[in-house]
Amino acid sequence: QVQLVESGGGLVQPGDSLRLSCAASGRAFSRYHVGWFRQAPGKERDFVAGIRWGSGSIYYADSVTGRFTISRDNAKNTVYLQMNSLRPEDTAVYYCAAATEVEAMTSPSEYDCWGQGAQVTISS
């Protein structure tokens, strides 16, 4: 397994941008599928974006399509989530997750490695 650490969260105003990083330690991170999820208070953990190893296929939730971009740098063992045009409803704790085998990228239960989360707050 790999260990994941998120960074880059913070408090920003609507319309601003943030970039989250998910740094992995452990072997062969480049062969892990990676997903970003978020959880607002009192709500379920929702899929945000995902990227497969190998094919490099990318997936986004409808709510973030066109605003968020997921990417990975295997040389740095890091996956990024660039978030633009942020809205108050994007406020949540953001988690990165990884697994070597994932059928449904959008399902949290498919992932067995999780980071500790990064708080993102959008407020004027």
Side-chain angles (χ1 to χ4, degrees):
Q1 287 194 340
V2 295
Q3 291 75 49
L4 306 174
V5 178
E6 300 96 338
S7 62
L11 170 63
V12 297
Q13 295 186 341
D16 285 352
S17 299
L18 278 176
R19 188 178 78 161
L20 300 181
S21 298
C22 174
S25 60
R27 297 169 57 182
F29 181 62
S30 61
R31 296 189 176 219
Y32 278 72
H33 308 296
V34 178
W36 283 98
F37 292 80
R38 65 187 181 187
Q39 189 166 20
K43 296 188 176 181
E44 294 184 349
R45 190 167 296 189
D46 291 331
F47 173 78
V48 175
I51 184 167
R52 290 191 178 275
W53 79 272
S55 68
S57 297
I58 288 175
Y59 310 84
Y60 295 103
D62 290 344
S63 59
V64 306
T65 298
R67 300 188 298 123
F68 291 12
T69 302
I70 188 172
S71 61
R72 70 190 305 164
D73 185 338
N74 289 329
K76 296 183 177 180
N77 271 10
T78 302
V79 172
Y80 303 98
L81 185 67
Q82 177 67 42
M83 307 185 294
N84 298 330
S85 302
L86 284 162
R87 305 166 179 170
E89 54 264 39
D90 294 318
T91 295
V93 177
Y94 283 70
Y95 299 89
C96 68
T100 55
E101 295 184 7
V102 176
E103 290 193 8
M105 293 287 289
T106 60
S107 174
S109 64
E110 295 273 350
Y111 299 83
D112 50 17
C113 303
W114 289 85
Q116 83 288 351
Q119 177 69 48
V120 172
T121 303
I122 316 304
S123 176
S124 56

